[in-house]
Amino acid sequence: MSINLGIPAVRTRGEGNLFAHEKFPTAAKRELKNQQLRANLRHATHTIRDKRINVVSELPDWEDLRESGSRIKENVMARLPELLEQFEAAFTARGGVIHWANDATEANAIVTSLIRATGETEVVKVKSMATQEIGLNEHLESLGINAIETDLAELIVQLGHDRPSHILVPAIHKNRTQIRDIFRAEIPNASPDLTDNPKELAATARAYLREKFLNAKVAISGANFGIAETGTLGVVESEGNGRMCLTLPETLITVMGIEKILPRWEDLGVFMQLLPRSSTGERMNPYSSLWTGKNGQDGPQNIHLVMLDNGRTRALADKNGRSALHCIRCSACMNVCPVYERTGGHAYGSTYPGPIGAILSPLLTGITAEENSSLPYASSLCGACFDACPVKINIPEILIDLRAQDVEAQHSVRKAPTEMDVLMKGASWALSSGTRLKFLEKGLPAGRLLAGKDQRISWLPGIAGGWTSSRDIPAPPQSSFRDQWAQREKFQKSQGPQLFQQSQASPKPTGKQGE
Ligand code: SF4
């Protein structure tokens, strides 16, 4: 029997909520003005970051675990078709039904038809990045089906008619007072005297959700892992809402990216150590739910799994970028990223913000998707994301590769050279010849004149304006380095060999800066 793996000969371009609606610099500039957002982000990311460092430093074999996680994922990517077949056989043997979706449109259509078959118009949901990626909630809403998020932060975002801004803490941009206002306005029967006390807020959400859990006939989930050898799916979460969704309704529909496969049951041991420490800074996850088909007596009796490509085979074909598919969505890279800390998640446009979003979105959609071509530049390349990543994804290296792809893509569509091309050609011409550089250095006095009295250049035209828009350039020195060096040599020669030897034996620099 031949099995349709749903992997097309022509690689599908990812669609859905993977696209920015504006270039990153434009969105970032706007978000930077939001002081409340920046204060919330700073507090939250630093708290989680410190917790992570504490629990990671407890493990003497942390680096070995990272290495294991990385190698398991490499192995999965190398054997993905075979592992998917193995998973499908095991999953269906235990009563589950698999559906293959090339893209967001197909996945949404499959989920819709499964819900319609039950006759229900309201479903409960466990937080899931894959369903956010395909825009499932919006799709269902447009067809009159109400999908209720049951993770507290996701519920806040949904009731606030907002967008998540962090993978792990989607409402990181909201403070308690804002949450209280949302609950008062949107939750039926919420007390008008509700305060911003966290216990009161949680109790209000709990009462609202409890009723939804008990009445739901259909639940939708994502999955953190799918085990090929057993056909098991796994969801890890912190509030118990996932456990409710996965056990109470009659029908369970899971949407999972094809890259979430793990070969063996024992591989879970590695990821169950890496994930909670890297995401919430906890030693173990509060609720870890694993299910293998149906058992005929308890739990959902209709078990469906939608296996989603949506650009993943496209990313897999990128030999430098494919390791982005190793991501376990822990969000550690976001919490250490200086760019994310200042701009927040909305500036990235896509479902996937932060350093992983800056590589994953363009890899899934292709760098030629104009809205995503600025994302690989949303990084200082400091490398903090690489150090924090539990599966050792070399994000800075992929960012540089995507930047190169972007430049090449622009060249192929534009006939005329860009400003950057002209600038680089000019720099190459000047710097490749001492005579030409010397000639250009004659312009230094003009630069000093431009700097004016305060000896700072605050504005430059064209592409160079990108530099002066956020920082000044100090006035050029009186004489060039080459001139100073020549003068030094001349002076030493005039003083004879004794002084030259003294200068060679002079103390090394102290390493202090700014002196
Ligand atoms: S790239 Fe690494 S650190 Fe970032 S979310 Fe994915 S697994 Fe976590």
Side-chain angles (χ1 to χ4, degrees), residues 167 275 278-279 323-324 326-336 353-357 359-360 384-395:
I167 288 179
L275 184 53
S278 302
S279 58
S323 63
H326 297 185
C327 177
I328 54 172
R329 312 279 190 264
C330 71
S331 78
C333 55
M334 258 154 263
N335 298 329
V336 295
I356 182 62
I359 58 171
L360 192 58
C385 48
F386 183 27
D387 290 343
C389 179
V391 285
K392 296 175 88 168
I393 301 173
N394 193 336
I395 295 177

Side-chain angles (χ1 to χ4, degrees), residues 315 318 320-327 333 348 350 352-367 372 374-379 381 385 389 393-403 405:
D318 185 315
N320 297 318
R322 62 158 53 178
S323 63
L325 296 176
H326 297 185
C327 177
C333 55
Y348 294 80
S350 156
Y352 302 107
I356 182 62
I359 58 171
L360 192 58
S361 306
L363 282 165
L364 293 176
T365 62
I367 194 72
N372 285 340
S374 63
L375 287 177
Y377 301 92
S379 169
L381 300 180
C385 48
C389 179
I393 301 173
N394 193 336
I395 295 177
E397 199 172 275
I398 301 174
L399 285 167
I400 291 170
D401 189 67
L402 286 169
R403 289 178 188 184
Q405 286 186 29

Side-chain angles (χ1 to χ4, degrees), residues 118-130:
T118 67
E120 294 297 310
T121 55
E122 187 166 283
V123 301
V124 286
K125 269 191 81 205
V126 193
K127 175 177 172 340
S128 141
M129 299 307 296

